[in-house]
Amino acid sequence: MSTQDQTMTAPAPAPAKVAKISFVEGLHMALDEAMGADENVIALGEDVGDAQGGGVFKITKGLSTKYGVNRVRATPISEQAIIGAAVGAALVGMRPVAEIMLMNFVTVAMDQIVNHAAKLRFMSGGQTHVPLVIRTTTGVGVGFGGQHSDMLEAWFAHVPGLKVVMASNPADAYGLLHSAIEDDDPVILIENILCYGIQGPAPTPGYRVPLGKAAITREGTDVSIISYGKAVLDALAVAERLAAEGVSVEVVDLRTIAPFDEATVLASVGKTGRAVIVHEAVKAYGTGAEMSSRIHEELFGQLHAPVQRVGGTYSPVPFSPALEKAWIHSQDQITAAVRRTLDWKKPR
C-alpha cells in the first residue's frame, strides 16, 4: 500500500517485525471482530459451524462456539437458500456474511443477488438497503476443474448496485472484509484459494481498506501494471525481474474491482504513459477490457503505446495440471506484454 493511502484510510498495517498472519487468519480476525462488535453481524453458509468443521477453509473456525449457532448458521447445500436468507436478514436490520463455498455456484443464486440484493435500494427510492457481504472462493492452479475455478468478477462488476472486491495480501483481506461488513450495500468479496496460505504483516486492529480505493504497491516511471488479487503477486515479481534490466514498473493493486479507483489508475498511467492490465479471469470480455477502454478514452493523447491485457484463455478451466498451467497467465506473458508497450513504435 502506498504511504499516501495509509495516511488517508486509517491506522497503518503493523511494521514487518510484528507477527505475521496468513490470509485465512486475516479474514477470520475481521469476521470475529465484527461479530464481537455488533450482534447484528451473522455468518451463514455450508459447513461454517464448528460441528461441521468450522468451514472447509477454517475461516469461521471457533465462531459458532464463541457466538452460538444462531449467529453462525451452517446451512444445507442450497446457494439459493443461503443468499435468499441473507437478503431477508439484511432487510430486517442484520448484517449477514454469507459464504458461497466456490464461486461457480453463485450462478445458482443469481436471481437473489442481481434482482434483489443489488436493486432494492434503487427500486425503493433509497428507502431500503441490503447490507450483505457474500464471501466466495475460486482460483486456477489447484486442479479443481472447470466447474470450481472460474473468476466471475466481470459478471458482478457489470451489475449496478454491487461492489466487488478482492485482496492480494492478509492485511488487505482483513481491512476489506471489515469495510464490506460496515457498508450499507451488498459487497462480493472474492478470495483466491491460492492466497489462503500467504503470510504478511499483521494489521493494526481496526485497520480498514476503504472500498473503491486502489493502492500503489510499487512505484515506477516506465509502465503501469494494473491488477488485483493473486495476479498482483505475479505483477510484483515481474516488476522485480524487469528492475534488474533498468525498467521501472509501477504496480497498482485495485483491491476494489467495481467501482474501480479510476483516479488512481489514470494518475499512474498518466505518469508512465504505458499500461498492462493483468487478471486471472478470461481475457475476453473481462474487467481489463473496461479499464483499457477508460484509459484510452481519458488518456489517448498521452499514451506511448496501446494498453495491453493479460488474462486467462477463453475456454473452461482444464482439469489436467499441464493444461491448467497453460490456461492461466504466466509471468513470462506479463513480461512480454510490458516489453510490447516499451518497444511499440507509432506507425507512420
Side-chain angles (χ1 to χ4, degrees), residues 104 138-151 280-282 312-320 323-325 327-328:
N104 282 80
T138 186
V140 179
V142 288
F144 279 5
Q147 294 177 322
H148 301 77
S149 305
D150 283 339
M151 287 284 181
E280 189 169 316
V282 294
T313 304
Y314 193 58
S315 81
V317 179
F319 178 76
S320 157
L323 293 177
E324 187 181 36
K325 185 178 180 180
W327 184 96
I328 194 171

Side-chain angles (χ1 to χ4, degrees), residues 17 148 181 183-184 217 254 298 300 307 317:
K17 64 181 180 181
H148 301 77
I181 292 172
D183 198 89
D184 284 338
T217 56
L254 285 182
E298 297 296 328
F300 183 74
V307 175
V317 179

Side-chain angles (χ1 to χ4, degrees), residues 1-7 214-225 232 235-236 238-240 242-243 246-253 264 267-269 271-272 274:
M1 287 162 286
S2 69
T3 302
Q4 179 187 19
D5 190 24
Q6 292 179 36
T7 302
I216 305 295
T217 56
R218 181 188 178 105
E219 295 190 354
T221 57
D222 294 329
V223 57
S224 302
I225 298 181
V232 172
L236 290 169
V238 168
E240 188 67 26
L242 291 173
V247 177
S248 178
V249 177
E250 182 151 295
V251 178
V252 180
D253 183 352
T264 296
S268 176
V269 180
K271 178 178 70 173
T272 64
R274 302 177 178 87

